[in-house]
Amino acid sequence: MGEETTTATIQESDVSDETLSNLLHEERHFDPPAELAKNANVTADAYAEADRDRLAFWGKQAERISWAQPFDEVLDWSNPPFAKWFVGGRLNAAYNCVDRHVEAGNGDRVAYHWVGEPEGDTRDITYADLKDQVSQAANALTELGVQTGDRVAIYMPMIPETVVAMLACARIGAPHTVVFGGFSSTALSDRIQDCDARVVITADGGYRRGAASALKPAVDEALQKCPDVRNVLVVKRTGQDVEWTEGRDLWWDDVVGRQSVEHAPEAFDAEHPLYVMYTSGTTGKPKGILHTTGGYLVGTSYTHWSVFDLKDDDVFWTAADIGWVTGHSYIVYGPLANGATSVMYEGTPDTPHKGRWWDIVEQYKVTLLYCAPTAIRTFMKWGSEIPAKADLSSLRILGSVGEPINPEAYMWYRETIGGGRCPVVDTWWQTETGQLMISPLPGVTSGKPGSAMKALPGISAVVVDDDGKPVEPGSGGYLTLTEPWPAMLRTIWGDDERYRDTYWSRFKGLYFAGDGAKLDEDGDIWLLGRVDDVMNVSGHRLSTTEIESALVSHPKVAEAAVVGAKDADTGQAVCAFVILREAAGDGGDDIVKELRDHVANEIGKIARPRQIMVVPELPKTRSGKIMRRLLRDVAENREVGDVTTLADSTVMDLISDNLKSGSADED
Ligand code: WT7
């Protein structure tokens, strides 16, 4: 890592300094409500039980799942880092999520209270409905020639058909890759190509911010670069005009609607691929994280049941998009495997007004709410009087995910949304972990504002120093996982070497998550953010390199450096420094806007830089590595730190002079 070591990043990051000082002064803690503790699904014994025999513990949790053929062995870890869980077991994920609940007499139970963004546009989907629709869609995919093992790309708004499409794929053993609907056509074509999908499922559009927002044009554009895709199934959601490629494009209603509602689910091996989810890494190429079937269902269903203390009459709402792992694990697979009733909401929180979420909580009597700190901070900014208008008394437990939750946001969430009576569970996990890993248990843990607390039963997390040695309480280091877990990623799609290098090479025998963490005096874990070149914007991972590549692909840009700077709303914000090509002159009046739009087009709006600074030079070490730490100082308006390792010591002066003369842009 040269001069810019990961340790330096931990010590110098402003986020961590603030968290550290907060935690030194953090004396508040909240015991579980007595009622909740008394009836909790999981008690403190679970930790001891799992410690005594971790594999027996997971073997027991696997009884939550219906196996067509029982497994012979809980874990095969003879060829690390390639794990096999529930060896020899066979099962069907869709059967576990749908059919078995109908067979158990719960067909009338609502699986989703679906809420469209336009007011009054709602649908309740029961488990029996879901079984019919998933069976029809599975028959349709088979008719289109999709076979076990083939990949299917899904690019959809937040509508019930998205879940149906995923489960139909799972039912026939065709791994799906869901691409977030906010991603651009380039991001979509990259992913389709990487996993070689031949069928794409999409919609004409969806509703966002009060208007129909098109999806199909991005698919049409992406497919110009994906000649192997033979069919596009299009759900009609908005009714807007779409371009149509005869022979390739098919309306979902035409093809799925006429299928039989009978479909016999085939049992697949526990390690059969369930899905690939792309996530940003430290290089420009997104990583296809592979999740398989048996372990993933065990891990997601157990954690959903234990961390949210799921009861029969709960109404669970993960307010996230299905296009991210949170949606896969806690809108789709975990809750459905548990036969739970969920809310699924299509739109934005401020449409048609800023109290939309709270109306939904009141209307459906939501008991368990799961969302990201960035949303909580936005609601704080909008003001407590907005949620105060709704009846939120149904809520029992509040969850947080995606980034460290600052103690202020935790307290606001707890008091304003939870009325002071609901435990807040700050859940740490990743696309790669598939399931919640570090979190309070609501009936056991005395929670501290800002801490994810302890590894869940059956999970082993250790904070280590540079040499991989566990740190003492009161010190910081790197978060690692020391034992395999059921829903862990199995590899990076098509790239075992990158899997090994990225996660298992920094510390021998340990999974390195890429996060810094600190243990407090009680041994509780406080997450300190990423230590690599990955940013976390609104709870979503973006790689600096990916955005740099997008900038450099613009004809006016010679070089680019991107850093994540602290941002009050989004956690981190994308800040870019660019050197223009000589031929581009000063780039013209609108250069900053042009480049920001370019990034949005290349990757998606979520990656649009908050700020782009045109600079004459970038700070580099003698070996040519960009010193991002100095750029972060500039982006966060701090005194610029140690410049002694710069190849050219005057470059930071050049940059600040240039910025003073006014080429910075903020909006
Ligand atoms: C990264 C994973 C897991 C679903 C959402 C994001 C950060 C996640 C927390 C938390 C502090 C958190 C980490 C992690 N993160 N949850 N509770 N406290 N940081 O999934 O895109 O795979 O990102 O998000 O930095 O490594 P993801």
Side-chain angles (χ1 to χ4, degrees):
M1 288 231 150
E3 283 80 351
E4 219 195 345
T5 62
T6 42
T7 344
T9 316
I10 287 191
Q11 286 159 357
E12 287 163 16
S13 146
D14 207 33
V15 181
S16 44
D17 287 350
E18 183 182 290
T19 316
L20 285 184
S21 55
N22 278 341
L23 93 88
L24 291 178
H25 301 121
E26 190 54 75
E27 274 155 16
R28 291 170 292 196
H29 56 92
F30 299 100
D31 289 338
E35 255 323 275
L36 200 157
K38 201 169 80 196
N39 301 307
N41 288 349
V42 179
T43 59
D45 308 340
Y47 294 102
E49 185 195 334
D51 283 347
R52 270 196 306 277
D53 189 341
R54 196 174 53 88
L55 294 182
F57 172 83
W58 284 118
K60 188 171 132 196
Q61 306 318 324
E63 290 166 18
R64 314 179 57 76
I65 295 305
S66 302
W67 300 87
Q69 182 178 307
F71 51 89
D72 316 307
E73 196 187 354
V74 172
L75 170 69
D76 175 357
W77 190 233
S78 57
N79 181 29
F82 301 97
K84 290 191 180 124
W85 280 87
F86 308 115
V87 185
R90 297 183 74 82
L91 74 166
N92 185 287
Y95 174 83
N96 270 280
C97 289
V98 183
D99 305 45
R100 63 172 180 152
H101 305 310
V102 178
E103 287 169 13
N106 293 322
D108 291 342
R109 181 179 289 183
V110 172
Y112 294 104
H113 293 294
W114 176 76
V115 182
E117 194 187 77
E119 275 188 301
D121 184 6
T122 61
R123 272 152 75 184
D124 277 358
I125 294 122
T126 65
Y127 276 91
D129 297 335
L130 203 53
K131 176 169 182 284
D132 289 353
Q133 292 176 27
V134 171
S135 298
Q136 286 186 304
N139 285 322
L141 289 175
T142 304
E143 187 181 296
L144 295 178
V146 179
Q147 294 180 2
T148 301
D150 292 352
R151 275 79 62 202
V152 174
I154 299 177
Y155 185 68
M156 294 275 263
M158 284 284 287
I159 55 177
E161 286 81 358
T162 310
V163 180
V164 172
M166 290 164 74
L167 293 174
C169 289
R171 195 170 183 98
I172 62 171
H176 53 70
T177 187
V178 180
V179 180
F180 171 55
F183 275 138
S184 68
S185 65
T186 315
L188 177 60
S189 61
D190 286 352
R191 286 157 175 75
I192 292 174
Q193 284 169 3
D194 189 76
C195 72
D196 193 21
R198 305 297 172 96
V199 169
V200 177
I201 306 176
T202 188
D204 49 359
Y207 288 97
R208 302 286 301 165
R209 279 180 224 294
S213 154
L215 281 173
K216 178 72 168 36
V219 176
D220 292 333
E221 200 181 320
L223 294 195
Q224 289 176 6
K225 286 184 275 172
C226 308
D228 293 335
V229 171
R230 49 174 200 272
N231 285 119
V232 180
L233 259 183
V234 188
V235 176
K236 190 175 275 179
R237 162 69 185 130
T238 59
Q240 64 202 110
D241 282 342
V242 287
E243 299 266 331
W244 206 253
T245 303
E246 276 320 318
R248 185 196 72 184
D249 298 351
L250 302 161
W251 286 113
W252 169 279
D253 280 347
D254 290 349
V255 182
V256 177
R258 62 176 159 75
Q259 304 292 330
S260 158
V261 296
E262 300 300 325
H263 181 274
E266 188 187 329
F268 301 108
D269 190 87
E271 285 297 333
H272 188 78
L274 181 63
Y275 70 82
V276 178
M277 159 118 292
Y278 286 85
T279 187
S280 297
T282 52
T283 73
K285 190 172 180 278
K287 299 176 287 196
I289 302 301
L290 174 67
H291 285 292
T292 60
T293 309
Y296 180 77
L297 285 187
V298 172
T300 54
S301 74
Y302 172 71
T303 48
H304 177 240
W305 174 81
S306 58
V307 172
F308 291 98
D309 188 45
L310 184 76
K311 300 288 198 270
D312 267 357
D313 50 1
D314 272 320
V315 178
F316 180 69
W317 182 15
T318 291
D321 196 282
I322 287 187
W324 307 108
V325 76
T326 309
H328 280 50
S329 297
Y330 298 102
I331 298 178
V332 183
Y333 290 106
L336 291 180
N338 287 332
T341 295
S342 289
V343 164
M344 177 174 166
Y345 172 54
E346 178 186 32
T348 54
D350 51 354
T351 308
H353 59 82
K354 294 188 167 101
R356 186 70 194 271
W357 276 28
W358 316 119
D359 286 358
I360 294 173
V361 168
E362 175 176 312
Q363 181 177 356
Y364 291 100
K365 301 202 166 25
V366 172
T367 56
L368 313 168
L369 177 65
Y370 192 30
C371 68
T374 185
I376 299 166
R377 287 191 298 265
T378 303
F379 295 131
M380 278 173 79
K381 201 169 64 182
W382 289 347
S384 304
E385 64 285 359
I386 295 174
K389 288 190 202 123
D391 176 3
L392 305 180
S393 61
S394 55
L395 289 168
R396 307 202 289 123
I397 296 168
L398 304 173
S400 167
V401 61
E403 52 176 314
I405 180 166
N406 28 327
E408 297 71 22
Y410 178 112
M411 290 307 296
W412 186 88
Y413 196 27
R414 190 184 150 86
E415 275 156 17
T416 310
I417 303 304
R421 53 171 208 286
C422 307
V424 173
V425 288
D426 173 12
T427 63
W428 178 91
W429 60 298
Q430 309 179 292
T431 304
E432 292 86 343
T433 69
Q435 61 175 87
L436 310 183
M437 301 295 281
I438 304 175
S439 169
L441 282 172
V444 178
T445 314
S446 181
K448 301 173 187 171
S451 171
M453 305 301 291
K454 280 190 185 349
L456 288 168
I459 302 296
S460 316
V462 174
V463 180
V464 301
D465 63 16
D466 261 313
D467 303 321
K469 302 261 175 332
V471 304
E472 294 297 317
S475 359
Y478 307 94
L479 179 64
T480 65
L481 302 166
T482 61
E483 298 289 348
W485 61 100
M488 68 192 279
L489 76 166
R490 298 305 196 261
T491 189
I492 292 174
W493 184 259
D495 202 343
D496 286 350
E497 222 22 65
R498 190 174 179 199
Y499 166 62
R500 203 193 289 270
D501 286 354
T502 310
Y503 304 107
W504 299 91
S505 63
R506 176 71 177 82
F507 303 106
K508 195 171 165 11
L510 305 179
Y511 171 91
F512 176 42
D515 284 357
K518 162 135 186 162
L519 290 184
D520 68 14
E521 296 300 338
D522 304 324
D524 292 323
I525 300 172
W526 297 69
L527 275 306
L528 303 178
R530 305 286 309 177
V531 299
D532 51 21
D533 289 339
V534 175
M535 293 168 282
N536 188 322
V537 178
S538 298
H540 300 303
R541 265 198 281 173
L542 295 172
S543 108
T544 53
T545 332
E546 210 175 341
I547 300 175
E548 285 163 4
S549 307
L551 283 165
V552 174
S553 75
H554 189 284
K556 289 184 184 168
V557 176
E559 254 195 287
V562 166
V563 296
K566 203 172 169 235
D567 185 277
D569 295 330
T570 58
Q572 281 190 305
V574 180
C575 292
F577 295 78
V578 297
I579 304 177
L580 296 179
R581 281 177 193 275
E582 231 152 85
D586 67 356
D589 285 349
D590 287 335
I591 182 68
V592 167
K593 179 173 185 312
E594 192 177 323
L595 296 180
R596 291 178 70 230
D597 290 348
H598 178 69
V599 173
N601 284 330
E602 287 292 302
I603 305 177
K605 284 195 194 114
I606 186 162
R608 189 200 298 270
R610 180 187 72 184
Q611 206 174 355
I612 290 186
M613 293 166 248
V614 177
V615 293
E617 268 310 327
L618 288 171
K620 292 186 184 155
T621 64
R622 264 169 286 264
S623 63
K625 238 175 127 17
I626 293 171
M627 292 184 70
R628 289 206 171 69
R629 139 178 95 72
L630 300 180
L631 294 176
R632 246 184 323 261
D633 289 342
V634 175
E636 296 180 346
N637 297 318
R638 262 196 312 269
E639 190 81 17
V640 171
D642 183 7
V643 294
T644 48
T645 51
L646 273 177
D648 170 0
S649 60
T650 61
V651 60
M652 289 316 291
D653 300 334
L654 261 176
I655 290 177
S656 40
D657 289 352
N658 197 259
L659 295 182
K660 271 182 223 131
S661 72
S663 74
D665 176 77
E666 230 172 311
D667 65 352

